[in-house]
Amino acid sequence: METGAKKFTYKTLVMAVSTVLGVAVTVLALWFLQKLLVPKYQRGVVEGSMIEEYYDSNEPHEVLFLGDCEVYENISTVTLYENYGISSYIRGSAQQLTWQSYYLLEDTLRYETPKVVVFNVLALKYGEPQSESYNRMTLDGMRWSSSKWNAIDASMTDGESMIDYVFPFLRYHSRWDELTRTDFEHVLDKDRVTINGYYMRADVMPEAEFPSPMPLSDYTLPQSAMDYLMRMYELCRENDIELVLIKAPTLYPYWYEQWDAQVRQFSYDYNVPYINYIYLRDIMGLDMSTDTYDAGLHLNIYGAEKFADYIGRYLTNSFELTDYRQIPEVAQQWEDDIVFYDALRDAQLAELQQYGELRSWGANAIES
Amino acid sequence: MNKKLMSIVLAACVAVSIAACSGEEEDTSPVVLSGGQAAEATVAEGDADAAPSDAENAAFSDGYVFTYNGTVITMNAPADDIIAALGDGYSYFEAPSCAYEGMDKVYTYNSIVVRSYTRDGVDYIAAVELKDDTVATAEGIRIGSTEEDVLAAYGEDGEEGTSGIEYTKGDSFISLIFESGRVVAITYTAIVG
């Protein structure tokens, strides 16, 4: 009887251990498969890596930029630091929608409270979710929180489901035959692709003539977007943060005068600064024959440094910002960022000299 | 009991894996990878033989169609054949979307502007804009028509905006913009689902 009980206990133990091990191995395998199969956004299209990079940045950020490519490609965070001592971060992503900007602000406030939030208004033209690809680039990189959940819930297009965001493996499981070398190289870690959210391009392609804007029958900015702008304003007020609205100086996609008037009205109604930098291109010294890399859609490093210098002067003069060049522990971290910035610029210039074009960045670097 | 439990857990894991891997040929690409820069060009010569038939166009859409120089342009229809059929003498502009997610293409002809969007590597008609009064909609409305003409042609059930009126049909809508009671712009737009 006693031997039987011992046998039973031994068998039970073996089975329990086997079960735990079996489950652990299965979970580990699925976890690894998920890490392997999800897009890495490390070459060519790197925009999907931007949102998560924020969590690795250890400096305090007194200025937070939110928005789409009109912030992450157009403003050099290093120039803001070098010229004014402003420690900033751009939480930008491709076609970032207004509600995504709001939830990214919520998310940021879990880690720090900036003094100034700068929001680029172009996304106000969108009142509905637009694209799963863009959603993924913004949302997958957010750490899990109620903000991420709500951002996904507000952003999903037809056919998307929350479970696919909770378990990305379900979305990308059949990507196995599209895997590239980069997928294997970056299964467990990723390279840095921005300098505090700034995406650098050092090539030059002069601004082209853009087609005439398409007339619209209704120029009213969507209420859903304006509601989230209002929520952003209220969240800033609750946290004693100054909200600043900007329109980047690039001309395409077209920013209608009627939209501009509505943002100006919001600015007036709520006493929020709004600066449309389209009107200030000459004053800030932008030369769109040399300061853009894609015919005027985005600024290159030369344009981004001019824009950063100009907006940095405004921020410094308007708000009580810390000169972090005078704070050694922060300055040291920025020095590391500057080393990375300079090395990235030099690498791009070397490639331009060698090939006449960039091959390791942008469209030419996209792996098939 | 433990055997059963272990079996259930492992079966569940395997089932999830199999279910996840047995999906049909759904698109899992994170982005449509079409590169390039904004560019402008003037293109000559077209291929009128490539014109899709009315029936072919109708297969793509139950919405508005617009006919220009004998070529039927249907919203959401594949653009390549239509552009080829429209022929020579257009100026061309293209700009990649952020993160190379598709390409905005704009073809400007004498009297119309055609815009296309990219999905899964294929261009589709996104919009047609009428530029002058030499062209008219199938309902007979052109730039210069009166607001009364529009209401008579399209009815009273349009959606009024701040500067005009929109009528939706199938997966497209037409926008008619007024100034001083007359049409100053007409645009067909695809509703991209």
Side-chain angles (χ1 to χ4, degrees):
Chain A
M1 186 69 182
E2 196 177 297
T3 311
K6 271 186 185 170
K7 249 185 170 178
F8 176 76
T9 306
Y10 178 71
K11 276 178 72 176
T12 305
L13 183 66
V14 168
M15 280 185 183
V17 169
S18 303
T19 303
V20 169
L21 278 177
V23 171
V25 167
T26 306
V27 169
L28 195 66
L30 288 172
W31 173 82
F32 182 80
L33 274 176
Q34 177 165 291
K35 296 289 277 184
L36 178 65
L37 291 168
V38 295
K40 307 301 182 296
Y41 304 110
Q42 289 284 283
R43 284 181 62 84
V45 180
V46 299
E47 283 84 344
S49 292
M50 293 175 175
I51 292 298
E52 65 181 299
E53 273 195 2
Y54 166 76
Y55 305 110
D56 296 328
S57 178
N58 295 317
E59 305 114 347
H61 308 110
E62 281 195 338
V63 176
L64 175 73
F65 293 91
L66 294 168
D68 51 22
C69 54
E70 293 207 343
V71 286
Y72 71 74
E73 300 207 37
N74 289 350
I75 301 167
S76 164
T77 46
V78 164
T79 298
L80 286 173
Y81 173 77
E82 285 188 321
N83 293 5
Y84 301 101
I86 295 173
S87 186
S88 66
Y89 204 97
I90 301 171
R91 292 207 81 181
S93 52
Q95 205 190 68
Q96 187 179 107
L97 303 169
T98 306
W99 45 94
Q100 293 170 343
S101 300
Y102 169 78
Y103 289 115
L104 281 166
L105 173 58
E106 262 192 12
D107 180 64
T108 305
L109 292 178
R110 294 170 201 281
Y111 303 94
E112 60 181 341
T113 304
K115 285 185 178 173
V116 182
V117 166
V118 180
F119 173 65
N120 187 68
V121 296
L122 181 64
L124 288 172
K125 68 179 184 171
Y126 296 114
E128 294 175 358
Q130 297 292 308
S131 150
E132 187 206 3
S133 300
Y134 288 133
N135 282 345
R136 285 284 175 181
M137 287 186 222
T138 297
L139 302 170
D140 280 343
M142 290 177 74
R143 283 185 181 165
W144 275 103
S145 66
S146 59
S147 302
K148 175 165 178 167
W149 182 277
N150 291 332
I152 295 168
D153 194 45
S155 302
M156 283 187 294
T157 55
D158 290 344
E160 289 188 82
S161 63
M162 184 66 77
I163 191 73
D164 288 345
Y165 282 92
V166 177
F167 300 109
F169 177 75
L170 299 175
R171 171 65 181 84
Y172 294 112
H173 64 269
S174 59
R175 199 173 160 263
W176 61 270
D177 59 348
E178 301 168 16
L179 293 178
T180 63
R181 199 174 71 180
T182 301
D183 285 301
F184 291 95
E185 287 175 352
H186 295 284
V187 176
L188 298 179
D189 67 327
K190 286 186 172 184
D191 291 337
R192 187 178 181 183
V193 299
T194 73
I195 306 96
N196 280 32
Y198 167 59
Y199 171 69
M200 180 196 292
R201 287 291 295 264
D203 40 343
V204 177
M205 178 183 277
E207 187 173 70
E209 187 180 336
F210 298 116
S212 302
M214 200 164 74
L216 305 180
S217 61
D218 193 340
Y219 291 92
T220 309
L221 290 167
Q223 191 57 48
S224 56
M226 294 303 286
D227 286 346
Y228 272 99
L229 176 61
M230 189 67 201
R231 290 179 67 175
M232 213 180 303
Y233 162 75
E234 287 170 348
L235 188 58
C236 285
R237 199 176 54 173
E238 287 163 15
N239 287 277
D240 202 20
I241 299 169
E242 300 285 350
L243 176 64
V244 174
L245 306 178
I246 64 164
K247 169 64 190 78
T250 40
L251 302 179
Y252 189 92
Y254 196 75
W255 178 248
Y256 293 91
E257 176 56 38
Q258 293 89 336
W259 293 347
D260 200 59
Q262 291 164 72
V263 177
R264 273 190 271 120
Q265 186 63 49
F266 182 94
S267 160
Y268 177 79
D269 290 344
Y270 297 99
N271 197 25
V272 173
Y274 169 52
I275 306 162
N276 183 341
Y277 287 99
I278 289 174
Y279 303 127
L280 301 168
R281 284 156 55 114
D282 291 339
I283 291 173
M284 74 175 80
L286 275 184
D287 176 355
M288 295 303 278
S289 66
T290 57
D291 292 342
T292 166
Y293 74 88
D294 55 2
L297 306 181
H298 308 101
L299 301 181
N300 57 20
I301 184 173
Y302 313 110
E305 289 182 347
K306 289 177 184 174
F307 185 28
D309 181 63
Y310 195 78
I311 197 172
R313 190 175 311 143
Y314 163 75
L315 293 169
T316 301
N317 291 338
S318 305
F319 307 104
E320 289 183 11
L321 299 177
T322 307
D323 184 348
Y324 280 101
R325 293 170 297 189
Q326 309 305 323
I327 302 184
E329 56 269 33
V330 178
Q332 182 53 53
Q333 294 179 62
W334 270 102
E335 288 307 315
D336 294 342
D337 292 330
I338 291 168
V339 168
F340 179 72
Y341 182 89
D342 290 344
L344 187 57
R345 180 199 57 217
D346 292 346
Q348 292 195 7
L349 291 176
E351 209 165 83
L352 287 168
Q353 192 167 21
Q354 185 174 1
Y355 303 116
E357 63 178 1
L358 291 183
R359 295 191 176 176
S360 302
W361 294 270
N364 291 335
I366 294 171
E367 296 170 303
S368 55
Chain B
M1 184 64 186
N2 284 325
K3 267 186 184 172
K4 271 187 184 172
L5 180 65
M6 188 166 72
S7 304
I8 290 168
V9 170
L10 287 176
C13 291
V14 171
V16 167
S17 307
I18 292 171
C21 291
S22 64
E24 292 303 310
E25 294 299 310
E26 62 179 297
D27 168 36
T28 59
S29 303
V31 288
V32 178
L33 302 179
S34 47
Q37 312 283 0
E40 268 201 306
T42 299
V43 180
E45 296 305 317
D47 180 6
D49 294 338
S53 68
D54 289 1
E56 284 172 331
N57 270 304
F60 296 114
S61 172
D62 55 353
Y64 286 110
V65 296
F66 173 72
T67 304
Y68 184 64
N69 291 343
T71 299
V72 177
I73 308 171
T74 306
M75 300 304 108
N76 285 314
D80 284 358
D81 286 349
I82 292 172
I83 297 302
L86 284 172
D88 54 5
Y90 60 86
S91 68
Y92 175 67
F93 171 87
E94 69 176 23
S97 305
C98 279
Y100 309 103
E101 167 67 8
M103 183 78 78
D104 297 335
K105 297 180 179 178
V106 184
Y107 305 83
T108 302
Y109 299 85
N110 285 337
S111 298
I112 64 169
V113 178
V114 179
R115 297 167 195 264
S116 70
Y117 66 94
T118 308
R119 175 169 284 183
D120 299 335
V122 179
D123 294 337
Y124 297 93
I125 299 295
V128 176
E129 182 187 334
L130 280 56
K131 289 169 59 183
D132 59 38
D133 61 2
T134 64
V135 286
T137 70
E139 291 76 12
I141 298 300
R142 66 185 70 234
I143 288 176
S145 296
T146 65
E147 199 165 341
E148 289 73 31
D149 295 336
V150 170
L151 295 176
Y154 287 93
E156 306 274 350
D157 58 344
E159 189 174 338
E160 289 190 35
T162 52
S163 60
I165 190 165
E166 282 181 8
Y167 295 90
T168 300
K169 182 180 175 188
D171 61 356
S172 67
F173 62 88
I174 183 170
S175 307
L176 301 123
I177 289 104
F178 302 111
E179 270 181 30
S180 304
R182 290 195 176 272
V183 174
V184 292
I186 302 172
T187 306
Y188 293 95
T189 306
I191 299 171
V192 182

